[in-house]
Amino acid sequence: MATINSMDAENNKATLQEVYVIALAESDGEFDWIYIHPKPYYLTEAEAAEIRNSLIENEEFITESNCIVKKLYRVKPIQE
């Protein structure tokens, strides 16, 4: 079985890139929403955490308990 970072990359000319997002939960506790302002994703966990902390300080509806930094993968085309 192929690893996640090279799966089907030969045929599709793409790879997976680790990114970090700021996920928000509703009252049910499921982190289903992605906060996309100022960016939809960040390349480092530290950058995402810094933005998350800023949002907690400045946005009334964002709190420690309803906002997390989450690692996801995005499909990134291979430049030829």
Side-chain angles (χ1 to χ4, degrees):
M1 186 168 161
T3 63
I4 193 165
N5 287 329
S6 63
M7 198 170 13
D8 232 5
E10 287 182 34
N11 297 328
N12 293 325
K13 305 274 192 240
T15 188
L16 295 178
Q17 176 185 28
E18 279 186 4
V19 295
Y20 296 87
V21 299
I22 298 170
L24 301 175
E26 291 192 29
S27 58
D28 62 2
E30 297 293 323
F31 288 90
D32 293 334
W33 297 92
I34 303 295
Y35 197 85
I36 61 170
H37 181 75
K39 294 175 10 182
Y41 63 88
Y42 303 89
L43 299 180
T44 66
E45 186 175 15
E47 182 183 13
E50 182 180 326
I51 298 297
R52 175 188 178 263
N53 292 337
S54 174
L55 290 170
I56 290 169
E57 289 177 12
N58 298 316
E59 298 290 339
E60 185 177 320
F61 68 94
I62 297 179
T63 66
E64 289 275 340
S65 60
N66 75 353
C67 178
I68 62 171
V69 171
K70 189 175 186 178
K71 179 171 57 172
L72 297 177
Y73 294 88
R74 81 175 189 103
V75 176
K76 181 179 178 183
I78 295 174
Q79 303 295 324
E80 291 186 17

